Amino acid sequence: MRAPASAPGVLVERGPAAGGAPCGPPGDGAGGARGQLVLAVLCGGYATGALLGWGSEKLALVMGDFGLSAAALVAAVSCFRYGRAHGSPFRPAWLLFALSSAMASCGNAVWGWYEVVLGRPVPDPSLADVFFLLFAPPAIVGLLVLAKRPVNRAEWVCLALDSWLIAGSLLTLSWSLALAHTARVDGESVARAALSLAYPLLDIVLVSMVLALHFRRSRGNRTAVHTAVAALALTVLCDALFTSPLLRDTYSSGQLLDAGWFAGSLLLAYAPWAARRAAGPPPPEPGRRAPRGERPQRHPGRPTAGSLAALTPYLAAGVCTLSILYFFVEGRRVDRFVVLTGCTVVLALVVRQGIMLLDNIALTQELAEKENHFRSLVQSSSDVIMIADPGGVLRYVSPAASGVYGRDAEELMGTELSALIHPDDLGQVVHEVRRFLAAPPSEEPTTRIECRFRSGGGGAFRSAGAESGGDWLHVESTVNRHEGGLIFNSRDVTERVRLQAQLQHNAEHDPLTDLPNRALFTQRVRQALAGRRSGDSGTAVLFIDLDGFKGVNDRLGHQAGDELLIQAARRLQESVRAGDTAARLGGDEFAALIAGDAGQDPAAREFQVHEIADRLRLTLSQPYRIDGADVRVAASIGVAFAEPGITAGDLLRNADLAMYRAKAGGKNRVELYAPQMQAEAVRRTALDTRLRTALHDGEFALLHQPVVDLATGRVAAVAAQARWRSAQGILFTPAEFLRVADDAGERTAELGRWMLEEAVAQAAERRRHGHRAPVSVRVPARRLLDRSFALGTVEALLGRHGLPAGSLVLELADSDPRLSFDELEQRLVALRRLGVRVALDGFGSGYAAINALRRLPVDILKLDRGLVEGVVESARLHKITSGLLRIAGDLGLHSVAEGVDVPEQVTALRAMGCTHAQGTAFSGPLDEHGLRRALARDAYPVPGAQPRPVLAGGSVPARVVPSGSLPSMRSHSETRVPPT
């Protein structure tokens, strides 16, 4: 008697191999197709050979015995290799299937040993029967491992009842048809009868386990599951045919029936390596939850499987009923075994239905609890949940709508969603919804939509302004699919949108004046240039700088300066047109973008913009009322017109250059950009770059111009003057190279420190060689007030070089009336107490010099060059100069005329009472070698000199001083100053 030779590889849960790649043949690829083709060829070849009788009886016995053994061995090896290579929870199942197939292989090998090798019939029973019987237990346990395990005691009971319902019904049917006859055959031994019943009973158990567990299978590789089920079905069918009375007595090895067992073994060998389905994502691992928002995939076979599982108990009862009816049809007495088995099946059915009823009651209660929990969550949520049908009509709205939208949920239900969305946002929302519905749900399970939603007037938040038809709230919604419609989970984000708008406004506007800042102004210039037509040069940019604003900050404080900027910004905003842009770039710099008019003549456009700029200049120059007082500043404006192909950065740079040209040209004016300004700026930048390193590279030289006593012609002092000889060999005066410096203040301070240090060092060196002429160094008044220019610094400098304090004269230059004269007076008094003498430079140039003479302690007055140049030609200047020199004489101060270049000026100044002169009439600036030669000569010819010259008016004779020094003078504090 032959036994089944297969193992049911059912419901495989294939796990990923190391590295995440699936093992086995590639899914639905060339490898999978080749495997199926080889399987079909082998099975078809075996069936053809069995059908033709293999050509000889000997070959038929070999293929019928050892062929089946080899096929089962292949299944055992395949399942064993797969189980060893895959560390999944189902690894034991495949190892058990390998063991069951190995038992089948051994059984067929023993059968072939008797029939082929020994050439005699197989004993009944034999060792082959032992192997065949050992095939079933590992297969049954493997099925239990593969099945979806029950999670509680009730499910275990249901599993046992389902298995018995199937097994009992099949046993009843089999007993009625064949097993009862087999069990009553006379003359058979007990062992023979037991074996006759064991094989079909084991088949019934296997079929019962497969059917019961098939409805409870784990989610795995469906291709492998179906292949294993096909192998099992084919094997069980062959077993049933073998045990039937029709084939049992006529069977011999190598017949067509063996082809079924052969195909079942090969199918089992192929089952674990069956390819995965390519369609759809892989199922989640056991115990793994699906990601949030991910909807579980529907499987086509799952509804049918659920229906069969529900019908299984009733089908089992129907099979039992048919078994009993069979006895009545045959006219035989009902077998007690059938009655007993049928009763147990009915009892199991009743118990099973009772458990299902209790389970349904528990599930109903749990569902009600979850529904109540969900309802409470929805009703108490601050977010509004809305469900819209495919037509866009709201079918459900959560109660939170009354608090957010100010409208009851019942009022909103039945309303079209499009009627609640702002018209400007409706097109965007419709486009996003259509795109979302067209996308695959697995790739895009949700989407976000932000739009304005109509509020009924009672919402918790309000939009910034009301529009017709009610207020509008900014709403952000998370959208999910729902039965062809959509679920909206919406929340009010009006405050967030308002805050973002405020932050954006703050980032693009000046916090003091609320005008657009540099970033926004540049963006609008870029937009204006991008929107212009080719050749349109109408767009213009105005750069505006407030002249004198720093003085307002210094005199009145920064709060007053801020108030002035606010008023200036208001005037600027009111002066430009509606389509133009006014901005504050920083500090006291403003700008305006004048939009272009493509149809206007360029000349007329230039005139119009110039007129606008001049009007702005006049408007910004009007007095500002601050703290009850009028404050005046002026405005320097640079204008640049757009040209084809120009960038925003270049246009702003051109306007900036024009503005600086306006400031350099006298301030309070409008200047149009010209191309040469760029070249000049490049030259100035290059010169400033070289100037930064000139001091450190030793490119500066110190020259000295003799100061001649007009009474004797002797050198009374020397005036130090700095010169810069650039790398190109050009010699620049301080006025020339400081005018082009971008940070002339810093360069002036650095040059002043170097000049004082160098002048003192050279004067000390000349003194050691017998030349005692004092050195005069020009120092700006602002420099004297600098903390770095302290009394200790001057004293330390003189002491380090060994120069007496009386040999140093500091020329006070640029006495700004805004400076603190009290502090300046304290500094000068301290210097004079040290022995350093002070000269007032530029005397006669304006109110500043007269006020400085009235307030500050000085020893020497230096006439302004402008008075000396016209003293011969202009009678008016002659009288002014004569009066100033008379004032100096009355105050007991010595006077020095600077810029005396011709002998006629020398004669006129001597006649007026000027004591000293400096200029090319005697000598130009000399280097150290030339200066020492002049000091060695010690005299210059003075035109019209008399032994005792008389001052103009003839009242006070000029004093003759010793060579090499200015005369000693009384302190300013001892001079009576008439009231002014």
Side-chain angles (χ1 to χ4, degrees):
M1 176 181 180
R2 299 300 295 267
S6 66
V10 183
L11 307 174
V12 184
E13 182 74 20
R14 295 182 63 187
C23 295
D28 291 342
R34 285 195 298 268
Q36 296 173 6
L37 180 61
V38 170
L39 180 64
V41 170
L42 291 176
C43 294
Y46 193 96
T48 303
L51 184 64
L52 299 177
W54 297 105
S56 67
E57 183 178 356
K58 185 69 173 180
L59 182 59
L61 292 176
V62 172
M63 295 304 298
D65 295 334
F66 291 111
L68 293 182
S69 178
L73 182 61
V74 170
V77 173
S78 176
C79 294
F80 180 78
R81 287 190 58 191
Y82 186 86
R84 287 291 301 273
H86 294 72
S88 66
F90 308 106
R91 175 182 178 181
W94 290 107
L95 295 178
L96 289 171
F97 292 155
L99 177 60
S100 65
S101 296
M103 295 297 102
S105 177
C106 293
N108 284 294
V110 171
W111 197 289
W113 175 262
Y114 283 104
E115 286 190 338
V116 177
V117 178
L118 300 180
R120 59 187 178 88
V122 181
D124 192 10
S126 67
L127 183 60
D129 294 320
V130 176
F131 287 118
F132 287 143
L133 291 175
L134 291 178
F135 157 77
I140 295 173
V141 177
L143 287 174
L144 291 174
V145 174
L146 282 179
K148 180 181 178 182
R149 300 181 182 180
V151 296
N152 51 43
R153 185 179 302 174
E155 290 191 3
W156 280 107
V157 174
C158 289
L159 176 60
L161 292 175
D162 290 341
S163 301
W164 173 245
L165 285 172
I166 298 172
S169 60
L170 293 178
L171 179 60
T172 304
L173 182 61
S174 301
W175 187 271
S176 301
L177 297 177
L179 294 183
H181 175 73
T182 302
R184 294 189 180 92
V185 174
D186 297 331
E188 289 189 356
S189 63
V190 177
R192 174 67 178 172
L195 285 175
S196 299
L197 294 176
Y199 288 117
L201 291 178
L202 286 176
D203 285 339
I204 291 174
V205 172
L206 284 175
V207 173
S208 302
M209 292 299 301
V210 168
L211 293 177
L213 298 177
H214 177 70
F215 301 127
R216 305 177 59 85
R217 66 176 181 266
S218 299
R219 300 177 66 182
N221 188 345
R222 288 187 291 170
T223 303
V225 170
H226 294 162
T227 305
V229 169
L232 173 65
L234 185 57
T235 302
V236 172
L237 176 62
C238 293
D239 290 345
L241 293 175
F242 176 76
T243 57
S244 66
L246 297 176
L247 295 179
R248 180 176 180 182
D249 297 332
T250 62
Y251 169 80
S252 63
S253 297
Q255 292 184 353
L256 189 61
L257 185 60
D258 290 346
W261 281 314
F262 183 83
S265 296
L266 291 186
L267 284 175
L268 179 60
Y270 177 74
W273 308 98
R276 289 181 179 269
R277 285 285 185 91
E285 298 177 1
R288 173 184 173 271
R289 292 187 176 182
R292 180 176 299 178
E294 180 181 338
R295 301 180 64 183
Q297 301 297 321
R298 297 181 179 269
H299 298 277
R302 200 48 75 80
T304 304
S307 302
L308 291 176
L311 293 176
T312 299
Y314 304 101
L315 292 176
V319 170
C320 292
T321 304
L322 291 176
S323 301
I324 297 173
L325 290 176
Y326 174 76
F327 284 94
F328 288 104
V329 172
E330 291 291 327
R332 295 184 294 168
R333 186 171 59 89
V334 179
D335 193 288
R336 287 178 297 177
F337 180 81
V338 173
V339 174
L340 180 62
T341 304
C343 292
T344 57
V345 170
V346 173
L347 179 61
L349 176 60
V350 173
V351 175
R352 179 69 174 85
Q353 293 303 103
I355 294 175
M356 289 182 60
L357 179 60
L358 295 177
D359 193 21
N360 290 337
I361 294 175
L363 289 176
T364 302
Q365 294 176 351
E366 182 180 358
L367 181 61
E369 292 177 0
K370 290 184 178 180
E371 183 178 355
N372 292 333
H373 179 65
F374 172 75
R375 188 178 300 276
S376 62
L377 287 177
V378 171
Q379 292 180 351
S380 61
S381 173
S382 58
D383 293 352
V384 180
I385 299 176
M386 301 181 296
I387 300 179
D389 61 14
V393 179
L394 294 177
R395 296 306 181 191
Y396 173 79
V397 180
S398 65
S402 59
V404 176
Y405 300 145
R407 305 176 66 178
D408 293 336
E410 292 77 7
E411 179 185 352
L412 291 175
M413 283 189 290
T415 306
E416 289 190 3
L417 189 61
S418 58
L420 304 174
I421 299 175
H422 195 281
D424 295 341
D425 300 338
L426 183 58
Q428 178 184 355
V429 173
V430 171
H431 174 74
E432 176 62 21
V433 169
R434 289 177 177 175
R435 186 202 62 78
F436 171 65
L437 292 177
S442 58
E443 297 180 3
E444 191 172 3
T446 63
T447 187
R448 289 182 180 274
I449 294 177
E450 187 169 334
C451 63
R452 284 167 289 180
F453 203 85
R454 187 185 303 278
S455 173
F461 301 110
R462 287 290 168 266
S463 57
E467 303 180 28
S468 60
D471 294 343
W472 297 95
L473 301 177
H474 289 271
V475 175
E476 181 187 61
S477 302
T478 302
V479 185
N480 295 269
R481 299 173 179 84
H482 175 69
E483 297 179 357
L486 297 172
I487 297 179
F488 294 85
N489 191 347
S490 307
R491 61 200 63 86
D492 182 11
V493 293
T494 304
E495 289 300 316
R496 190 197 70 186
V497 172
R498 190 178 304 164
L499 178 60
Q500 289 176 346
Q502 184 63 41
L503 292 176
Q504 182 71 18
H505 180 85
N506 294 342
E508 296 178 342
H509 289 76
D510 175 58
L512 179 64
T513 63
D514 203 39
L515 290 179
N517 58 14
R518 183 182 294 272
L520 181 58
F521 184 76
T522 304
Q523 178 183 349
R524 292 188 178 178
V525 171
R526 190 177 295 112
Q527 293 173 353
L529 295 179
R532 295 185 302 110
R533 298 186 308 176
S534 178
D536 176 20
S537 58
T539 301
V541 171
L542 278 60
F543 259 51
I544 307 166
D545 186 83
L546 299 182
D547 303 321
F549 174 75
K550 189 175 185 303
V552 175
N553 270 343
D554 294 339
R555 295 195 310 271
L556 304 179
H558 289 278
Q559 185 173 358
D562 291 345
E563 179 61 28
L564 188 148
L565 291 176
I566 294 174
Q567 295 185 26
R570 188 180 303 117
R571 294 183 184 182
L572 179 61
Q573 184 69 40
E574 293 173 353
S575 299
V576 298
R577 302 172 303 176
D580 300 334
T581 300
R584 182 192 176 201
L585 306 183
D588 60 343
E589 289 188 351
F590 294 85
L593 172 63
I594 309 299
D597 185 0
Q600 194 172 7
D601 180 67
R605 177 62 177 167
E606 181 176 331
F607 177 79
Q608 179 188 17
V609 173
H610 192 283
E611 187 178 38
I612 293 174
D614 198 60
R615 185 173 69 249
L616 284 176
R617 181 186 64 81
L618 294 176
T619 301
L620 296 174
S621 300
Q622 295 297 320
Y624 296 86
R625 193 70 177 176
I626 299 176
D627 295 335
D630 288 341
V631 179
R632 288 182 177 271
V633 294
S636 296
I637 302 178
V639 182
F641 286 92
E643 300 174 354
I646 195 172
T647 64
D650 292 341
L651 183 59
L652 296 177
R653 181 205 60 200
N654 294 345
D656 195 19
L657 290 174
M659 185 267 291
Y660 277 105
R661 172 60 66 88
K663 293 179 71 69
K667 301 181 180 181
N668 193 22
R669 54 182 295 174
V670 177
E671 191 77 30
L672 297 180
Y673 170 77
Q676 59 267 24
M677 294 182 184
Q678 175 64 18
E680 182 181 348
V682 172
R683 184 185 66 83
R684 185 169 60 247
T685 302
L687 187 60
D688 180 68
T689 303
R690 295 198 302 269
L691 181 60
R692 292 175 184 271
T693 58
L695 281 172
H696 303 285
D697 294 344
E699 296 182 7
F700 277 91
L702 194 63
L703 304 181
H704 295 82
Q705 189 173 29
V707 179
V708 179
D709 189 335
L710 295 182
T712 63
R714 304 183 67 180
V715 179
V718 292
Q721 298 178 5
R723 294 292 187 272
W724 175 34
R725 186 178 301 277
S726 68
Q728 289 75 21
I730 304 174
L731 196 65
F732 294 99
T733 64
E736 291 173 331
F737 59 72
L738 290 179
R739 184 176 63 250
V740 301
D742 290 339
D743 49 355
E746 181 183 350
R747 300 278 84 78
T748 301
E750 188 175 359
L751 178 63
R753 288 191 292 268
W754 173 86
M755 187 174 174
L756 181 60
E757 175 82 22
E758 192 70 14
V760 170
Q762 293 185 15
E765 182 66 22
R766 290 192 299 271
R767 187 177 181 83
R768 284 191 287 271
H769 288 80
H771 304 293
R772 300 180 177 274
V775 62
S776 176
V777 182
R778 178 173 296 181
V779 180
R782 188 176 299 276
R783 168 73 177 145
L784 285 175
L785 294 179
D786 193 351
R787 293 184 179 181
S788 62
F789 194 91
L791 179 63
T793 303
V794 178
E795 186 176 5
L797 177 63
L798 295 173
R800 185 167 64 252
H801 294 283
L803 184 69
S807 297
L808 177 63
V809 180
L810 297 180
E811 297 181 8
L812 185 65
D814 302 329
S815 54
D816 193 336
R818 294 173 295 183
L819 297 177
S820 173
F821 276 87
D822 295 335
E823 185 177 356
L824 186 59
E825 181 180 7
Q826 294 176 5
R827 291 290 180 96
L828 294 179
V829 169
L831 288 171
R832 294 185 73 249
R833 190 176 294 129
L834 182 64
V836 177
R837 284 177 288 178
V838 180
L840 182 61
D841 188 33
F843 184 67
S845 60
Y847 169 78
I850 297 297
N851 194 37
L853 178 64
R854 183 177 66 86
R855 298 282 305 275
L856 302 178
V858 296
D859 302 303
I860 304 167
L861 294 181
K862 295 193 70 172
L863 292 179
D864 185 73
R865 182 183 294 270
L867 297 176
V868 176
E869 288 177 350
V871 71
V872 177
E873 295 81 2
S874 174
R876 188 182 187 90
L877 283 179
H878 188 281
K879 291 181 180 180
I880 293 174
T881 305
S882 177
L884 293 176
L885 289 172
R886 188 179 300 112
I887 292 174
D890 292 342
L891 294 176
L893 305 179
H894 289 274
S895 55
V896 177
E898 186 178 7
V900 180
D901 298 330
V902 294
E904 290 80 6
Q905 294 174 346
V906 177
T907 304
L909 290 170
R910 286 186 72 255
M912 296 177 192
C914 184
T915 60
H916 298 80
Q918 170 186 345
T920 57
F922 301 104
S923 173
L926 303 173
D927 58 12
E928 189 63 23
H929 178 71
L931 177 62
R932 292 194 181 189
R933 288 175 54 189
L935 292 176
R937 188 169 59 246
D938 197 27
Y940 285 96
V942 180
Q946 299 294 331
R948 294 185 63 81
V950 180
L951 292 173
S955 58
V956 181
R959 291 170 289 175
V960 178
V961 298
S963 175
S965 65
L966 288 172
S968 61
M969 303 178 59
R970 292 178 297 170
S971 170
H972 180 74
S973 59
E974 300 173 0
T975 303
R976 299 283 298 177
V977 180
T980 57

